[in-house]
């Protein structure tokens, strides 16, 4: 910085080297006169800067502002003041170029926002699908569990019914045996009564009794 402050030619060379970058660079000395300029140096060398630049940099060490250049170009400007020499180093780009960059940044932000929104929607769909799948799985598990419990109750009821049926069949069998036994006893009593009644009869009269006793037997 000290060398640049002492040798104006070096400052001018440094400013001219950035001409291809599309930036307008200007070095202003402490008296607000142009010391170097990347465009039209011969035309503006030694001239005072315009009022917009003077008011924008007054009392400030650095900043950004929008203004017109001496050649009537609308530019977006940044500057920094040297603490050692008091000179002001200005870099400016055409407003149209800056707006194009801003528009590009805006579209980039929009595209990024759209991509983020798409990703968020995709993530929401995945989460919703997982929640629905989990709920469906829970419902299927609950239905399967309820069906298993119903099958178990049905099996128990069926076993109880079969046991009751077997018990009823056993009781019927006992009752039938008892009835058969009583009928047999009654028929034996009838046979005995017929034998007693035929004792005092002759063989011809006894034949019907014997026939009845055989038939009963």
């Amino acid at each position: 910085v000290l060398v640049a402050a002492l040798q104006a030619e070096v400052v001018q060379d440094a400013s001219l080297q950035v001409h291809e970058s599309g930036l307008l660079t200007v070095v202003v000395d402490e008296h607000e006169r142009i010391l170097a300029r990347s465009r039209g140096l011969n035309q503006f060398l030694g001239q005072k800067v315009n009022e917009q630049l003077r008011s924008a940099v007054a009392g400030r060490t650095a900043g950004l502002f929008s203004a017109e250049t001496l050649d009537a170009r609308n530019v977006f400007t940044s500057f920094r003041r040297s603490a050692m020499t008091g000179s002001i180093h200005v870099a400016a780009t055409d407003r149209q170029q800056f707006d194009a960059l801003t528009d590009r940044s805006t579209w980039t932000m929009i595209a990024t926002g759209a991509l983020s929104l798409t990703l968020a929607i995709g993530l929401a769909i995945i989460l919703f699908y997982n929640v629905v799948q989990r709920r469906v799985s829970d419902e299927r598990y609950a239905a399967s569990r309820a069906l298993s419990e119903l099958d178990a109750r049905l099996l128990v009821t069926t076993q109880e019914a079969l046991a009751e049926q077997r018990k009823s069949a056993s009781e019927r069998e006992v009752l039938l045996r008892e009835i058969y036994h009583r009928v047999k006893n009654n028929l034996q009593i009838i046979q005995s009564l017929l034998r007693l009644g035929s004792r005092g009869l002759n063989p011809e009269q006894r034949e019907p009794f014997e026939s009845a006793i055989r038939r009963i037997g």
Side-chain angles (χ1 to χ4, degrees):
V1 175
L2 181 60
V3 172
L6 294 177
Q7 299 182 13
E9 300 83 13
V10 176
V11 177
Q12 293 169 4
D13 272 350
S15 297
L16 289 173
Q17 287 173 7
V18 299
H19 180 69
E20 297 301 326
S21 66
L23 288 175
L24 170 64
T25 57
V26 182
V27 180
V28 181
D29 62 14
E30 66 274 16
H31 303 296
E32 298 179 347
R33 296 183 180 276
I34 296 176
L35 181 62
R37 198 173 191 274
S38 60
R39 296 177 188 172
L41 175 62
N42 296 329
Q43 181 181 356
F44 299 106
L45 182 62
Q47 292 188 18
K48 274 189 169 290
V49 298
N50 57 21
E51 183 61 31
Q52 288 181 326
L53 179 59
R54 284 200 298 271
S55 60
V57 302
R60 301 169 64 189
T61 58
L64 298 171
F65 63 94
S66 178
E68 286 190 359
T69 62
L70 291 175
D71 51 358
R73 290 188 178 183
N74 192 2
V75 293
F76 191 77
T77 307
S78 64
F79 74 93
R80 178 172 292 277
R81 187 186 299 273
S82 172
M84 292 184 63
T85 64
S87 60
I88 301 171
H89 303 267
V90 180
T93 182
D94 290 340
R95 187 73 187 189
Q96 294 179 352
Q97 185 177 0
F98 178 77
D99 290 340
L101 291 174
T102 304
D103 292 342
R104 190 181 306 168
S105 300
T106 303
W107 283 111
T108 303
M109 289 181 62
I110 292 174
T112 305
L115 180 60
S116 301
L117 182 61
T118 304
L119 291 176
I121 292 174
L123 181 60
I125 291 174
I126 292 173
L127 291 176
F128 179 75
Y129 178 76
N130 289 335
V131 170
V132 170
Q133 285 294 106
R134 182 176 299 176
R135 184 170 298 177
V136 170
S137 299
D138 291 342
E139 290 178 356
R140 287 178 179 173
Y141 174 73
S144 176
R145 187 173 179 180
L147 186 59
S148 299
E149 292 177 356
L150 181 61
D151 289 341
R153 274 185 280 176
L154 183 60
L155 180 60
V156 171
T157 304
T158 304
Q159 290 176 347
E160 291 176 353
L162 289 174
E164 188 69 26
Q165 187 177 2
R166 285 194 294 268
K167 183 179 178 181
S168 299
S170 178
E171 290 177 354
R172 283 198 303 270
E173 187 177 354
V174 172
L175 289 175
L176 285 174
R177 283 201 301 266
E178 183 68 24
I179 290 171
Y180 293 157
H181 182 67
R182 292 186 181 185
V183 170
K184 181 180 178 181
N185 290 339
N186 290 334
L187 290 175
Q188 286 177 349
I189 291 171
I190 292 172
Q191 281 181 329
S192 298
L193 290 175
L194 289 174
R195 285 192 184 97
L196 288 174
S198 64
R199 279 183 181 178
L201 300 176
N202 55 37
E204 293 180 359
Q205 293 174 335
R206 193 184 298 169
E207 179 60 29
F209 286 91
E210 293 295 334
S211 177
I213 288 171
R214 287 193 301 271
R215 296 181 69 179
I216 290 170

